[in-house]
C-alpha cells in the first residue's frame, strides 16, 4: 500500500470515528452547542448524586421486597390452580400486589409506564401514570449489560441509541433487541447462584417484573421541555440481599469484574404528578 493510500484510509477511519464515538455521548454534541440549559454541571464525579446511595438502596429494597412477596403469591396461586383447575387468570395475584405496577404503587406511591412520547419523532417515552413522585425519589432504572471502559462493545453499539456512558467511562447497553438482548441473557444465565438469579431478564420483554426498568426510554429534555429527572450512578453494595438481586436489571459483561455492579437510576428533580412525561438531563464535569 502506498503512503498516499495509507493516509487516505487513516483519514477515512478518523472521520468515521469522529461520528461513531458520539454514539456514547450524544448529549455532549447536542447540548453543549445548542442546549446548554439541558446539562447539569457537577464539579467532580463524587458530587453527581442528588440523594445518597443509602436512600436509593432503601427505595429499591422497599419495592423489591413487595415484588418478592407478590412472586411468592403467584407461585401459591399457580399451585392452587394446578390442583383445583378452577382458579381464573384474574385470581392469580391473590390478595397481594402480584403485578409490578401494583407493587410499585403500594411501595413507592406512584406508577410509571411506557407510552408514545409527546415529543415529535421521539418514539416511546415514560410517563407517571398514577400517584405523585416526590422530589428525590428513585423514578426509574437504566437496564442493560455493564461494560467496563476497557471491554469490547463495538458490535453491540452499531446503530444502537441505548448505550449510556457513565462519568468514569463505564458503559451500559440498554438495548432490548438484537445482539444486545442475546448478550444480556447469556451473562444473566452465567451468573446464577444455585436457585438465585443475580439479575432480571424480564426488562427485555413488554412486561418487566421490575416496573422501574424502563429508564432507557426516558427522553432527553430540551429548552422547551425542562428536565424533571436526572441520571445518578449507583454501585450495588455487597450487603444487598441475594434473594432480591433477581430484580436488578443489570449484569456485568465479564464474570471476573472486581468492582461492584454498576446501576444507573433516574432521580426526581421535583415533584412529578400523574400524566407528566419524564424528561432527563445529563451531567457534565466542570473544573
Amino acid at each position: 500500500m502506498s503512503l498516499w493510500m495509507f493516509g487516505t484510509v487513516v483519514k477515512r477511519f478518523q472521520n468515521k470515528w469522529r461520528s461513531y464515538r458520539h454514539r456514547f455521548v450524544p448529549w455532549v454534541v447536542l447540548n453543549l452547542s445548542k442546549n446548554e440549559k439541558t446539562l447539569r454541571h457537577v464539579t467532580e464525579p463524587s458530587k453527581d448524586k442528588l440523594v445518597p446511595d443509602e436512600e436509593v438502596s432503601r427505595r429499591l429494597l422497599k419495592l423489591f421486597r413487595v415484588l418478592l412477596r407478590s412472586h411468592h403469591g403467584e407461585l401459591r396461586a399457580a399451585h392452587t390452580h394446578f390442583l383445583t383447575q378452577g382458579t381464573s387468570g384474574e385470581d392469580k395475584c391473590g390478595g397481594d400486589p402480584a403485578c409490578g405496577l401494583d407493587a410499585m404503587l403500594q411501595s413507592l406511591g406512584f406508577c410509571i409506564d411506557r407510552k408514545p412520547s409527546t415529543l415529535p419523532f421521539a418514539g416511546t417515552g415514560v410517563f407517571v401514570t398514577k400517584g405523585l413522585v416526590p422530589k428525590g425519589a428513585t423514578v426509574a432504572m437504566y437496564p442493560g449489560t455493564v461494560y467496563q471502559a476497557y471491554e469490547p462493545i463495538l458490535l453491540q453499539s452499531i446503530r444502537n441509541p441505548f448505550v449510556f456512558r457513565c462519568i468514569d467511562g463505564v458503559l451500559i447497553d440498554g438495548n432490548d433487541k438484537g445482539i444486545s438482548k442475546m448478550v444480556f441473557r447469556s451473562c444473566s444465565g452465567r451468573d446464577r447462584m444455585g436457585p438465585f438469579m443475580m439479575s432480571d431478564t424480564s426488562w427485555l420483554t413488554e412486561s418487566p417484573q421490575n416496573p422501574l426498568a424502563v429508564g432507557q426510554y426516558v427522553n432527553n429534555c430540551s429548552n422547551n421541555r425542562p428536565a424533571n429527572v436526572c441520571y445518578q450512578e449507583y454501585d450495588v453494595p455487597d450487603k444487598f440481599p441475594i434473594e432480591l438481586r433477581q430484580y436488578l436489571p443489570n449484569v456485568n459483561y465479564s464474570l471476573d469484574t472486581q468492582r461492584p455492579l454498576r446501576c444507573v437510576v433516574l432521580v426526581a428533580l421535583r415533584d412529578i404528578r400523574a400524566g407528566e412525561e419524564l424528561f432527563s438531563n445529563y451531567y457534565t464535569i466542570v473544573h
Side-chain angles (χ1 to χ4, degrees):
M1 179 183 295
S2 67
L3 184 60
W4 177 83
M5 292 180 63
F6 178 76
T8 301
V9 171
V10 170
K11 186 174 181 179
R12 288 179 179 175
F13 174 80
Q14 289 175 335
N15 289 337
K16 287 184 178 180
W17 170 247
R18 291 190 185 100
S19 174
Y20 171 81
R21 64 183 178 178
H22 296 311
R23 297 180 194 275
F24 302 132
V25 285
W27 56 93
V28 173
V29 182
L30 296 175
N31 291 311
L32 286 183
S33 60
K34 298 180 181 179
N35 298 319
E36 178 70 20
K37 294 180 181 178
T38 66
L39 289 172
R40 179 168 60 91
H41 298 284
V42 296
T43 56
E44 56 185 81
S46 62
K47 295 184 179 180
D48 77 295
K49 301 180 186 299
L50 265 67
V51 297
D53 283 350
E54 293 76 15
E55 177 62 16
V56 174
S57 291
R58 186 186 71 82
R59 290 181 180 272
L60 293 182
L61 291 173
K62 188 175 183 180
L63 170 63
F64 291 177
R65 288 185 177 116
V66 175
L67 289 173
L68 186 64
R69 290 198 299 270
S70 302
H71 186 210
H72 288 164
E74 286 181 340
L75 292 177
R76 289 194 298 269
H79 180 66
T80 301
H81 175 64
F82 176 77
L83 294 176
T84 64
Q85 297 294 309
T87 304
S88 68
E90 294 180 354
D91 293 333
K92 71 176 183 178
C93 293
D96 295 324
C99 299
L101 294 179
D102 291 337
M104 174 182 265
L105 186 62
Q106 175 182 318
S107 59
L108 303 181
F110 62 86
C111 290
I112 61 171
D113 205 356
R114 289 172 284 189
K115 293 183 178 182
S117 175
T118 57
L119 291 174
F121 310 109
T124 302
V126 179
F127 292 76
V128 178
T129 56
K130 292 182 180 179
L132 173 69
V133 180
K135 180 180 178 180
T138 299
V139 189
M141 302 183 71
Y142 198 101
T145 306
V146 180
Y147 294 82
Q148 304 305 312
Y150 53 84
E151 292 177 331
I153 192 177
L154 178 62
L155 292 179
Q156 297 91 313
S157 69
I158 295 174
R159 300 183 65 183
N160 183 356
F162 295 109
V163 177
F164 182 92
R165 187 183 190 278
C166 298
I167 287 179
D168 58 1
V170 170
L171 303 174
I172 301 180
D173 181 6
N175 194 354
D176 55 11
K177 298 178 176 62
I179 188 172
S180 300
K181 180 176 183 178
M182 292 187 291
V183 168
F184 190 94
R185 285 191 181 279
S186 176
C187 294
S188 179
R190 173 203 67 197
D191 291 352
R192 180 169 184 153
M193 295 182 63
F196 297 108
M197 295 294 295
M198 294 292 100
S199 57
D200 174 22
T201 61
S202 68
W203 69 271
L204 298 167
T205 71
E206 292 296 321
S207 303
Q209 63 176 350
N210 174 3
L212 292 176
V214 294
Q216 78 276 35
Y217 287 104
V218 174
N219 286 305
N220 191 28
C221 67
S222 67
N223 287 334
N224 297 324
R225 302 289 183 93
N228 49 22
V229 298
C230 68
Y231 295 100
Q232 178 170 312
E233 296 171 20
Y234 167 73
D235 289 338
V236 179
D238 292 338
K239 63 181 180 180
F240 202 92
I242 189 172
E243 71 275 11
L244 299 180
R245 289 178 179 257
Q246 63 181 300
Y247 301 113
L248 293 172
N250 297 96
V251 65
N252 283 316
Y253 177 72
S254 294
L255 180 62
D256 59 352
T257 300
Q258 299 299 314
R259 62 191 304 172
L261 177 66
R262 170 67 52 82
C263 293
V264 170
V265 299
L266 289 98
V267 177
L269 293 169
R270 59 169 175 80
D271 291 351
I272 309 173
R273 301 185 180 279
E276 291 191 63
E277 182 174 0
L278 301 182
F279 292 108
S280 63
N281 66 7
Y282 298 90
Y283 39 65
T284 184
I285 303 296
V286 294
H287 300 285

